[in-house]
Each structure stands twice: as C-alpha cells, then as structure tokens.
Amino acid sequence: MKRITIFLLFSLCVTSIFGQQLKKFSMIPAEYFVQMQEFFASTGADSKENLKLIKDFQKNWDEGLISELQKTDILNTSNALLNKRAKPNPQFINYINTILTIVNNPKGSSVFGAWNKTVNSMIEQKSLLVIDEFNKSIIDLLNENIINQTPTIKWVSDNPSYTLTFDKEPILTFNNINLKCFGKNDSSVIYQTSGTFYPMTSKWTGSKGKITWRRAGLGENSVFANLRDYKIDMRFAGFKADSVMFTNTIYYDKPLLGSLEEKVTADVTYDNASYPVFDSYDKLIFIKEIYPGVDYQGGFTMKGARFLGSGNKEQDAILYMYRKDSLFLTCRSKIYVFRKDMAVGRNTSVAFKLVNDSMFHPGLLFKYNVKLREVTLIRDGDPQSMSPSPYFNTYHKLDMDFEQLTWPLDKNEIKMGTLKGSIINKASFESANYFRESRYNEIQLNDEIHPLVFLKRYSDKQGSTTFYVDGLADYMKKDITQVRQLCLTLLYKGFIEYEVESGKIKIKQRTYDYLKARVGKIDYDVIKFDSEHDMVGLENASLNIQNNDLKLYGVPKIQVGTLKT
C-alpha cells in the first residue's frame, strides 16, 4: 500500500510541473505579465531584483512609454524567444533591459523598429548567445555611445549622432563624430569622421576624418593626417589607411600623400609613443637644410614623435652634407632617425668627395651631432650591415680598415681610428692593387672553381658586369643562401658592389685585376701599413681636407714591393 501511495504522489507532482510549463505568452497584456512572473518563478529566477525588473517593465507599458505597435512586436518576439527555448536568465532579462533602455532613451523611437527586426532575424538564424550579445551592445550604445567592445578595448562615439537600420543585417550609420578607441591605458581619436558599422562582423567602413599626433606630444595643428576612405575591424585596437594626406609643418610645408597605421598600445608616454605611423609614397622628397648645411632627399615617415627618413628597395634616403657650400659627403640609408639634436642612420653607405675620387664605405652606423656639427661613422658589427667591409679610397688608392671615423663639419680634418675607450688603437691600410696568393686561395675555400672565375664567366655569358644573385646561384648550381653569403664576402673584400635587398651585383675592376695578377698578366702591389699604438687621444690616421694629405700614426714597419710573376 505504501508503494502505491508514493507512486501516485510522484506521478501527480510530475503532471503538475509539466502542466505549469509555459508554452506561449498570452497576447493580453495583463495575462502576459502574470505569465512572465510565473515563468521566472518556475526556474528559480524570481529574485527581488528580477521581479522589480518585470514591474518596471509593466509600469513603462501601462504609462504609455511603449506604443501599441511596439507592444504587439514585444508580445510576438517574446513568444518567438520562448519557442527558441530562451530562459528567464539571461535571455529574457537582457531582452527586457534592452526594451527599458530603448523606451527611456531620446533615440529610442528611431532605434526600436530596426532593433526588433534584428532580434527576430537572429531568432531564426543565430544562437541565443549572439542575441544576448547584440542586446547588450544596444544597451551600451544607447547609454554610453559604445559602438563595439571586447574585454580589453572599446570603440566609442563622442555623441549619439547615429541611426540604426535593418537590411538583412543591422547597420549603424554615424555622421560627423569623434571616433575614439580606448585600451591598455592608451587612447586614439579620429576627429570629425563619418562611417557605417556592421555589428554582426564588428566591421567599420569610414569616410574622412583627422588623426593627430597629440599622443606623441606634437601640436594637433602642426602634425596631422586627413583620412579619405578607411576600414576598421573593431575587434582590434588599430587600423591602417591608404591615400591619407599628411601635414608636418615642423619639417615640411606641403601635405604629403601616403599610408597611415594607428594602434592603441600599452602605457604610452610622449617619449615612447610609436603610433600613429605615416609613410609617404614619394621617396624623392627634397628638404633643404633639414639641419644647417645638410640637405635631405627621400621618403618621409612619422612614427610617434620620431621623424624618420625612409627609402625602399629601389631608392635610398640620402643626406647631402656640405663644406663651404660644396657637397663633400653623401650618405645613403634605407632609414634615418631624425631628432632635433641627433640624426642616426643604420647600415649607411658613405662617400666623401676627394677631388674627382672618393672615400667610400658600403654600410656603417652613421651619427650626426647637430649641436657639435660632427659626423661619426662606426663599424658596429651589426650582422645586418656592411660594416665588416673596409673603406675604399680611390684618391689614395688604398683600402682602409679601421673602426671609427669622425669629421667635425667646421674643421679641415677627418680622424680615423678605433672606438673611444679602446686601450690599443689598431688600423690597417693596404694598396688597392694589393695581391697575395694566400688571400686569393682564402676566397676559394674548397670550391673546385674559384668564385671570381665564376663571376667573370657569368658576366661574359650575360654580356654585362651587372646581374642578380639568383641568376648567379643558378649558374653556380649552389643554394641561394650560400651564394648570398659569398656575395657579402666579395663585397667586403672589394670585388663587387652588392645590394642585399634587391640582390643586384656589379663586378668591380679588382675582380679582373686579381684574376690577371693570379696568372701573371699584370703587375701588382704588396704595400700594406699596419698602425698600432696605445697613445690616448691619438688617432691611427688623419686626412687633411684642404690638401687631401693622409697621415698615418703608429706604423712600426712598411710592407712594400711591386711584383710580377
């Protein structure tokens, strides 16, 4: 008997629970709100806070803040959510909160229709999670003008100048706003811009606007970029734009066309700001006297507060440095950093003009102290640079091997020696026509055919002394990486000119001279000067610019001779 009683009671409870399960909301408002409260209670979501939410909802309904058409839409959408198995928490709580936000906002009447269409479209095609996220985004938009946000960043309009429409998807259109991005203790602003935001993809399509360099400590009317058309993926804290017009009145008086990149980064200060970044399309911009007595030609890059002189694969950025109004030093680099007190170039090729000849190096660390008006050239050991190469002096017909050169522009002397602080000062100078059998063999290593022979044969085949490294590698039947390293070695030893980025090779006369000297067809020199001393403050060599006299110091002996085999 006990078993039968327990079974009957359990059956009644189950029947009672399923009998109370809500299948559909009534289209009669009074019944609808009662059912809503029971629906919340049936899942344990009838907290005081949630019941108050329903009461506020009903109060707004009864006080006429919701139109009759909107009421019908709400009742229909509530049933559609119910059929999709939406729960009181979080789906209906978010839905009701969105309704209350809309009807109590000045823009609510213009937003409701498109919002309602979007929600119903999502009910058919998207998950409940996506619907929740969309409703939360509408609340953020109406309350705080937040267009899109993630856990770490948010994009915000400075005013509610927008419209929401629905055309197969929700579309937000903004007109003449200041678009702001916040994140990582940094922020960015696009002033006076317009655009369209697509919430389903978080994509923004913008038109016009102004980016300033205020984050880098520069005046908003001194350095800025005007945008044309641009796009932003608002899941991220940055964007890129093409065909912007850039103005920097500090260095150049004309607007420049180029590309822009903006990004919000962590803990930005005036000193470490690396954005916005502008890069000019034109790499032949000429700036007269970027510093007194120094002209510049090249591209214009603004990276945060740093002005960079930039080149590309085809074109170097160039500094022209003058002595008594005559060009004396030409410096070429892919990039320079220009500051008020200093200019720095990495892997910079330099050419000093000596009458009709030159003193040349293919790649050094270049520094120019603006206050002292002093050039310093350093072989810094950068593996990406040409610093291992010696200087090639065609006036004195010497290859000059030393670590540092200094030239004060207002003085008539160039000093050559070791880095400051060195205990022993070493340098070497050898005849440009210097030849030794051992050096020739060093280049060959274990190759069956000498690399210089390969160069000449390939040049003869091409009918030109200029060609490219990939073609040479194919001809030598060697790996391209191995041949590139070989070209660097030949560059350092003065046999070729070699452009690393483009792979362009040009054979120099020394290649032919070495090959002829090897078989005894020409005379060659074995003149070499080794300079070494420990005298503080004394260089290894100095060049008098007025008469081009070259003085060497600390040379204990001279290796000299002219041989012919």
Side-chain angles (χ1 to χ4, degrees), residues 251-264:
Y251 289 106
Y252 201 64
D253 58 356
K254 296 178 181 178
L256 299 172
L257 185 66
S259 62
L260 178 134
E261 181 177 2
E262 173 67 309
K263 185 181 292 186
V264 170

Side-chain angles (χ1 to χ4, degrees), residues 190-221:
I190 305 175
Y191 295 95
Q192 301 301 300
T193 190
S194 300
T196 302
F197 179 65
Y198 300 89
M200 294 298 94
T201 58
S202 299
K203 301 294 175 59
W204 166 278
T205 300
S207 177
K208 299 182 180 179
K210 177 181 177 181
I211 291 277
T212 72
W213 267 251
R214 289 181 63 182
R215 294 158 62 209
L218 301 174
E220 60 185 59
N221 294 319

